[in-house]
Amino acid sequence: MTKTLFTNVKIFDGTGSAPFAGEVLVEGNRIASVTKGKNEAPLKDAKIIDGGGATLMPGLVNAHCHMSYTGPERMSDIPPEEHTLITMHNAKTILDCGVTAAVGAGAAKPRLDIVVRNEINAGRIPGPRYLACTPEITVTSGLGDVRQTHAYHNDLSLYADGPDHIRRACRELVREGVDVIKLMISGDHLVPAMCDAEQLAMDDDEVAAGARVAKQRGRKLAAHARNSESIKLCVKHGIELVFHATLADEESLDLLEKNKDRFWVVPAIGFTHATAYEAGDHGFPLETAKEMGFVRELEIGAETLTKMHARGIKVLPFGDYGFGWTPHHTMARDFGHFANYLGMKPAEILRAATLYGAQAFGKPDELGCVAPGCLADLIMIDGDPLADLTLFLDPAKILMIMKDGVYHKAPTQRRSERIPAAAE
Ligand SMILES: [Zn+2]
């Protein structure tokens, strides 16, 4: 069994506690020991990696990942063959960011997530651990319905109306091999005339049908749920991954707080920020973004999500990266957004990006942690990420990426003049 000892590193263990100087021994695909200080002598059979004072931490977990999303063209115009290749490339890009596990949040075509996950799992292509998702299942006139009465179109969604149709769609995708079922329960600012962010798109019996298939077949559930009524349906039907939730009222916040160990909110606030202020070249000049409500949504969302965090509801970074104005490699910008808009402390943000992400992924005791017995999904950062959250945006600062005990990026030699962590 391969043994690797990371020495002379500062360890951020995912819990949010202050990093400490120490050593981590990896045996095979698991962490065998974590020790404070420097004790490398008895471990002559291990390959020793001197981190030169770098920070060793759990790989990041993205709990709202659209691996197949790409910009700037209409995704439905991309043939499945090209789209599969794009999704494969995105998988590598996401792992290059230090994201070693990700929960699918909607695939652009029914089998993209599934086949790419299978290739990753077979070890034939690089990518994070991945839970493959259905396309976004939406009702007629819900977010994503781009059809016209005289012509059929599709972009990203799978259309289904009524419990029977939804049940069938979910069962078909279970047959194909999805891990996650995604339902579009609320509307959105993107389609104000059809189904606004304040409106419900799906009825209770439709949500119930999708949720029941997921429960019967042991799949995860995720939902687009911007407003309070949609959040209540998530709680009622056990939809554990609540996306957006930016318009939650006090009653739905109470519900989420009461059930905070069973639900994870992944707001994708980076998407709202980018659509409000940075998407002028993509059809959203500031005036349009204002008119559509994105600027206001950002303000209200910041307020709501700040309250959620204060109540102990788990609010996670990442989400909705992959569009032309939110490219995948910029997903760690969410850390800055969480600091600015939610007032979260760096240690809280990184705990949400690791430990809480692992809970949302469904491996709470094996991922998102640096502790004996955890899976060896580890990254090494050049510097102190708690002092500078932008380090994750610079590939050169991500010195090492290990997934399941295997390097995706072997350790980069740090500059020798650095002061060892143990002496600091
Ligand atoms: Zn999304």
Side-chain angles (χ1 to χ4, degrees), residues 64 66 69 105 136 182 243-244 268 319-320:
H64 182 160
H66 297 285
Y69 281 18
E136 295 180 333
K182 164 89 178 277
F243 295 154
H244 309 300
D320 285 353

Side-chain angles (χ1 to χ4, degrees), residues 283-348:
F284 301 96
L286 184 58
E287 275 318 303
T288 308
K290 268 189 191 163
E291 257 168 50
M292 291 177 76
F294 282 102
V295 172
R296 184 80 191 111
E297 155 114 14
L298 191 57
E299 287 168 16
I300 296 174
E303 216 175 286
T304 310
L305 297 165
T306 303
K307 279 189 209 166
M308 272 188 206
H309 173 60
R311 284 167 171 254
I313 298 162
K314 291 166 183 168
V315 186
L316 277 56
F318 305 123
D320 285 353
Y321 283 87
F323 292 97
W325 60 104
T326 57
H328 288 289
H329 71 274
T330 63
M331 61 177 65
R333 286 188 67 195
D334 261 35
F335 298 165
H337 295 317
F338 269 47
N340 296 336
Y341 289 120
L342 280 67
M344 280 172 69
K345 296 188 183 86
E348 294 171 334

Side-chain angles (χ1 to χ4, degrees), residues 242-283:
V242 183
F243 295 154
H244 309 300
T246 37
L247 306 176
D249 63 7
E250 292 298 320
E251 198 186 336
S252 51
L253 290 178
D254 287 345
L255 264 178
L256 286 172
E257 184 181 351
K258 239 182 256 167
N259 296 283
K260 60 188 172 192
D261 293 328
R262 295 199 297 130
F263 294 90
W264 294 267
V265 174
V266 200
I269 199 155
F271 176 83
T272 313
H273 171 91
T275 310
Y277 295 117
E278 298 171 355
D281 294 341
H282 298 270

